[in-house]
Amino acid sequence: QNVCFFNIPEYQRGYKWTAENVKQLLNDLKNFGLHRQTAEEFYCLQNITVAKGSLDGKPCMNVIDGQQRLTTLYIIISYIQRSLTHKILPADADILRYSVRTSTDAFLREKVQTGELWNKEINPDDAESKDRYYIMEVAKAVDDWFKENTLNIGVILDNLKLIVNQVDNGEEETVFASLNGGRSDKSHSNHQGSTAKVSDYCVREENTSNRK
């Protein structure tokens, strides 16, 4: 992809998915996995809109639209990989950054990606910010869901696809304002669209033979 990571830039709003949102996604993915007819079938998690940028001297993709979905997938994968010997996102992998709020960025990388958040009971009411509250609510919901359900990790990594729309540099905040004002970014003629599997953006350790 010629970029190092996704970045949630300064103009973005906070993370606000709820337990209900993530449980619905997990149920949808479970049902898809149970009923798909061929290996080529895929589950589409709608569009994300990005623009090339840089952060701390490294190339990145600034996320204009899709912050909630990307962050939720990051939380789900971080939870699932705790039981894997060879991690999908190693603890030092730089895959998602939150330059919009450095405290959220640190919490995601130090507590979520490492799996430490699930080492004890999660109480969202203990959160120190709105971002952390919703991240913890979703993380707790993921744990609760997997206590009663199973999901093949391959469904997420190989059968879940994102439609990636890339806009020109300099159009980011204009497109963001258009999307949040209820207008489509299709009016911007210089955008490129493609589909990508989630695994295209993961930094896997070499041996993934224990994927379930």
Side-chain angles (χ1 to χ4, degrees):
Q1 306 296 322
N2 299 320
V3 295
C4 292
F5 52 85
F6 289 108
N7 175 53
I8 310 303
E10 288 76 4
Y11 52 78
Q12 277 285 4
R13 300 168 181 173
Y15 179 71
K16 286 192 175 180
W17 262 40
T18 65
E20 183 179 354
N21 293 143
V22 71
K23 286 182 178 180
Q24 182 63 62
L25 173 60
L26 289 168
N27 284 331
D28 287 348
L29 289 171
K30 178 182 178 180
N31 288 333
F32 167 80
L34 290 173
H35 297 105
R36 61 181 173 144
Q37 300 297 313
T38 68
E40 289 71 31
E41 288 184 50
F42 63 90
Y43 180 98
C44 185
L45 197 60
Q46 301 182 344
N47 297 342
I48 64 170
T49 303
V50 298
K52 285 186 177 180
S54 64
L55 183 67
D56 298 332
K58 296 180 180 179
C60 67
M61 282 292 187
N62 285 330
V63 179
I64 302 169
D65 183 52
Q67 166 195 1
Q68 310 294 326
R69 280 158 281 156
L70 287 174
T71 304
T72 302
L73 287 174
Y74 175 93
I75 295 169
I76 293 171
I77 291 171
S78 295
Y79 176 84
I80 292 174
Q81 72 172 5
R82 294 180 315 134
S83 62
L84 301 180
T85 303
H86 299 277
K87 305 303 183 185
I88 303 161
L89 299 175
D92 60 349
D94 205 0
I95 191 70
L96 180 68
R97 300 287 300 274
Y98 258 67
S99 64
V100 62
R101 273 176 290 281
T102 55
S103 61
T104 300
D105 182 78
F107 185 74
L108 285 168
R109 289 195 287 161
E110 295 170 9
K111 302 297 184 182
V112 177
Q113 188 167 319
T114 62
E116 184 179 333
L117 180 60
W118 292 280
N119 289 344
K120 60 181 181 180
E121 185 176 353
I122 299 173
N123 183 0
D125 290 333
D126 293 337
E128 299 174 4
S129 68
K130 287 185 178 180
D131 275 352
R132 290 193 189 188
Y133 176 87
Y134 287 107
I135 290 168
M136 291 170 71
E137 179 180 337
V138 165
K140 184 178 186 303
V142 169
D143 186 38
D144 290 343
W145 190 88
F146 274 99
K147 287 176 179 176
E148 299 180 357
N149 300 271
T150 59
L151 177 64
N152 188 321
I153 185 62
V155 171
I156 294 178
L157 295 181
D158 300 320
N159 298 112
L160 190 156
K161 289 190 178 183
L162 302 165
I163 300 173
V164 182
N165 294 320
Q166 182 180 328
V167 303
D168 289 343
N169 293 4
E171 289 191 343
E172 287 181 55
E173 294 191 44
T174 301
V175 174
F176 177 78
S178 296
L179 288 168
N180 285 276
R183 298 186 300 276
S184 170
D185 69 337
K186 291 180 181 178
S187 60
H188 296 269
S189 59
N190 294 323
H191 79 278
Q192 304 172 34
S194 62
T195 59
K197 296 187 296 185
V198 170
S199 58
D200 293 340
Y201 298 105
C202 291
V203 186
R204 301 187 199 177
E205 294 180 345
E206 289 186 6
N207 187 342
T208 56
S209 60
N210 56 355
R211 186 192 302 171
K212 298 180 180 180

